[in-house]
């Protein structure tokens, strides 16, 4: 037996490549996932300035962040995943990074709601090609025992992306257009943008361009430094299958397994809540506590995203540590975190001051995001190597359509409903016709009707977010049921 053959037969023990290189690949994919979520969630950081500039309702903001993005993300996810199951997965991810980065930058030049919607759809098309091939690559680099932790680390890109979107997006969005134009002139780049009146350029536009443009460089680095691993390399020798599965074969493989459906619907319900809360997180802080866009992002949004990343890591770490004693822990552990998160979120949204709100919100986010690695671990554990990218794509289709597609829109519509009910009860429906939410930060306390309208504007969102968090109860039940079937459905060489 040659050294190469011997090494390949040890792949299920050693993994693919050296330990250091595997770590580099994992961190690279995690950072790309981070970039994915920076570009995806930046719109939530700058939501209130967009609302003010385009005079949008919460329902419109929910629509902008929800159904169109989710629909195209879902539609493109499966064909791109099938392409990844048949070709070079690194190439697929590289091309998709370029697409979503360019479209993110174009959001900064949107002339109105419709153009912003079109560019957001472009972001969705590109981002659909990130996670399915990335998960497939990770399972071929890391042996079975290490996958839960590896996928947990990769999944931290969701929350780390949230941190960086808050920090960079919030700081850049807080810049005045004139100051940015002056800075460009000071470094000799002002001539590249002739004729622009920087005084008319909002900080949120600058944030989209600055955050989106570097993705092209990152895509090139990935292409030249990450190797495409052999499919099935880390499976036990008797179970290695290198042929690619067709879509119908993949559907037959995961479709018959109850674990997939319970886990997928659990993940979709969590995403329903998560995307809904995330979309209106910054507007909540700005409306209820009169915190500016920069401070809401940097001092509150970034720590919340960071603690969510810690929760994601903790979920993967605990799953790996407890897997010997509780083999199905990866499936049922999220139930525990989600059940704890419900009262914490509800209490946070109705807390009497920002200190209590923030403390409870941090604890809730930690428990909430402990589920994230589990959704991918469940999907990759119950099917053969050649079906994993397609399986994850179908999982993400459900998560996208139910979570991202409905969550933000639901929160926005409920917010408008609660707000309108409160306004009607106060007899201020007519006054609301000329209401300008941008003026709430400087409302005259002696203007009782103006103060009441601004209170209703914040209270509607407060009630909507609290009601949405209660859907975690159904998600916890789904993950508990997935745990009941996990050992029966788990894929092995004898399956």
């Amino acid at each position: 037996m040659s050294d190469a053959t011997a090494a390949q037969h040890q792949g299920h023990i050693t993994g693919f490549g050296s330990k250091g290189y595997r770590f580099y690949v994992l961190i690279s994919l995690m950072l790309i996932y981070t970039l994915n979520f920076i570009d995806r969630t930046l719109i939530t950081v700058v939501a209130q300035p967009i609302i003010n500039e385009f005079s949008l309702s919460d329902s419109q903001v929910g629509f902008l962040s929800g159904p169109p993005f989710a629909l195209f993300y879902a539609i493109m996810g499966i064909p791109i995943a099938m392409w990844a199951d048949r070709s070079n997965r690194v190439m697929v991810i590289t091309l998709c990074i370029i697409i979503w980065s360019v479209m993110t930058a174009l959001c900064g030049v949107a002339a109105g709601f419709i153009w912003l919607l079109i560019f957001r759809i472009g972001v969705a098309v590109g981002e659909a090609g990130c996670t399915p091939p990335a998960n497939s690559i990770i399972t071929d680099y890391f042996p079975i025992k290490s996958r839960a932790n590896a996928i947990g680390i990769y999944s931290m890109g969701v929350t780390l992306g949230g941190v960086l979107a808050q920090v960079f997006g919030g700081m850049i969005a807080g810049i005045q257009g004139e100051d940015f134009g002056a800075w460009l002139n000071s470094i000799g780049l002002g001539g590249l943008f002739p004729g622009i009146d920087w005084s008319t350029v909002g900080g949120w536009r600058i944030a989209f361009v600055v955050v989106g443009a570097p993705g092209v460089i990152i895509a090139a680095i990935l292409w030249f430094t990450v190797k495409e691993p052999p499919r099935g390399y880390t499976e036990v020798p008797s179970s290695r299958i290198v042929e690619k599965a067709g879509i119908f074969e993949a559907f037959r493989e995961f479709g018959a397994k109850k674990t997939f459906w319970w886990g997928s619907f659990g993940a979709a319900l969590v995403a329903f809540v998560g995307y809904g809360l995330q979309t209106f997180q910054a507007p909540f802080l700005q409306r209820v506590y009169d915190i500016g866009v920069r401070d809401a992002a940097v001092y509150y949004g970034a720590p919340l995203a960071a603690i969510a990343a810690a929760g994601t890591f903790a979920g993967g770490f605990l799953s790996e540590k407890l897997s010997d004693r509780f083999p199905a822990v990866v499936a049922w552990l999220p139930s525990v975190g989600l059940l704890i998160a419900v009262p914490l979120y509800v209490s946070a949204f109705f807390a009497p001051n920002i200190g209590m709100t923030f403390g409870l919100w941090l604890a809730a986010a930690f428990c909430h995001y402990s589920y994230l690695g589990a959704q991918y671990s469940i999907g990759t554990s119950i099917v053969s190597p050649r079906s994993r990218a397609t399986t994850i794509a179908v999982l993400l289709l459900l998560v996208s359509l139910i979570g991202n597609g409905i969550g933000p829109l639901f929160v926005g519509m409920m917010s408008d409903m609660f707000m309108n009910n409160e306004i009607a009860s106060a007899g201020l429906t007519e006054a609301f016709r000329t209401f300008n939410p941008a003026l709430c930060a400087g409302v005259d306390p002696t203007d009782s009707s103006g103060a009441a309208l601004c209170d209703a504007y914040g209270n509607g969102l407060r009630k909507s977010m609290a009601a949405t968090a209660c859907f975690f109860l159904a998600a916890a039940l789904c993950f508990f049921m997935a745990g009941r079937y996990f050992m029966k459905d788990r894929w092995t060489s004898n399956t």
Side-chain angles (χ1 to χ4, degrees), residues 36-111:
N36 181 298
F37 266 81
I38 291 174
D39 292 356
R40 183 184 307 189
T41 61
L42 178 59
I43 195 169
T44 69
V45 178
V46 298
Q48 195 63 46
I50 294 175
I51 291 171
N52 295 342
E53 182 166 333
F54 294 151
S55 299
L56 305 181
S57 67
D58 284 351
S59 296
Q60 286 177 301
V61 174
F63 182 80
L64 184 65
S65 301
F69 184 98
L71 182 61
F72 279 87
Y73 186 90
I75 288 173
M76 297 303 299
I78 292 180
I80 293 175
M82 292 174 61
W83 179 28
D85 274 338
R86 290 168 167 76
S87 62
N88 188 303
R89 292 163 288 185
V90 177
M91 177 193 67
V92 172
I93 297 174
T94 299
L95 292 175
C96 288
I97 294 172
I98 294 172
I99 293 171
W100 88 59
S101 298
V102 171
M103 289 296 171
T104 298
L106 288 174
C107 287
V109 300

Side-chain angles (χ1 to χ4, degrees), residues 359-403:
L360 290 165
W361 207 335
L362 287 171
F366 182 88
C367 296
H368 165 184
Y369 282 94
S370 62
Y371 91 99
L372 195 55
Q375 69 177 19
Y376 299 128
S377 295
I378 292 171
T380 56
S381 296
I382 61 174
V383 296
S384 61
R386 61 183 187 166
S387 298
R388 284 174 180 157
T390 301
T391 301
I392 295 300
V394 175
L395 163 67
L396 290 178
L397 183 150
L398 294 171
V399 168
S400 182
L401 291 179
I402 297 174

Side-chain angles (χ1 to χ4, degrees), residues 101-404:
S101 298
V102 171
M103 289 296 171
T104 298
L106 288 174
C107 287
V109 300
F113 176 77
I114 297 300
W115 278 109
L116 188 57
L117 181 62
I118 291 171
F119 295 140
R120 284 287 295 170
I121 289 172
V123 175
V125 171
E127 292 192 347
C130 177
T131 295
N135 272 269
S136 182
I137 288 173
I138 290 171
T139 59
D140 285 333
Y141 265 96
F142 289 85
I144 295 172
K145 182 174 177 59
S146 301
R147 285 179 193 163
N149 196 33
I151 293 176
I153 292 172
Y154 168 76
S155 300
M156 288 173 63
V158 174
T159 46
L160 289 176
V163 173
L164 296 178
Q166 298 287 343
V167 172
F168 291 114
M171 292 181 68
I172 297 170
I175 296 175
Q176 298 296 320
E178 301 98 315
D179 295 335
F180 187 75
W183 176 74
L184 288 176
N185 288 328
S186 70
I187 61 174
L189 296 179
L192 296 177
F193 307 95
I196 294 181
D197 181 2
W198 288 104
S199 64
T200 64
V201 178
W204 68 269
R205 295 182 179 276
I206 299 170
F208 273 116
V209 175
V210 171
V211 169
V216 177
I217 299 173
I218 294 172
I221 294 173
L222 174 76
W223 175 248
F224 288 112
T225 63
V226 173
K227 300 176 183 178
E228 171 75 4
R231 295 177 193 272
Y233 185 89
T234 58
E235 306 302 326
V236 294
S238 61
S239 68
R240 288 199 180 99
I241 306 171
V242 297
E243 298 87 355
K244 289 77 174 177
I247 185 169
F248 295 109
E249 183 180 347
F251 267 81
R252 283 195 298 271
E253 187 171 354
F254 66 74
K257 297 187 176 181
K258 294 180 180 179
T259 302
F260 174 81
W261 297 109
W262 282 113
S264 295
F265 282 113
L269 286 170
V270 178
F272 171 87
V273 177
Y275 281 116
L277 299 186
Q278 184 183 56
T279 297
F280 290 95
Q281 173 181 295
F284 172 88
L285 292 168
Q286 291 165 56
R287 296 178 196 179
V288 175
Y289 293 109
D290 195 20
I291 298 171
V293 61
R294 178 186 177 277
D295 290 350
V298 175
Y299 298 124
Y300 297 96
L304 280 168
I307 202 69
T312 302
F313 176 80
F317 179 80
L318 284 174
S319 293
E320 182 169 337
K321 292 300 180 182
L322 296 174
S323 60
D324 289 338
R325 184 175 180 184
F326 305 105
V329 66
V330 70
W332 59 256
L333 185 62
S335 296
V336 179
L338 295 173
L339 289 174
I340 297 172
V342 173
L344 291 173
Y345 269 131
V346 173
S347 299
F349 298 136
F350 288 101
N353 58 68
I354 185 60
M356 291 183 63
T357 291
F358 190 50
L360 290 165
W361 207 335
L362 287 171
F366 182 88
C367 296
H368 165 184
Y369 282 94
S370 62
Y371 91 99
L372 195 55
Q375 69 177 19
Y376 299 128
S377 295
I378 292 171
T380 56
S381 296
I382 61 174
V383 296
S384 61
R386 61 183 187 166
S387 298
R388 284 174 180 157
T390 301
T391 301
I392 295 300
V394 175
L395 163 67
L396 290 178
L397 183 150
L398 294 171
V399 168
S400 182
L401 291 179
I402 297 174
N404 201 5

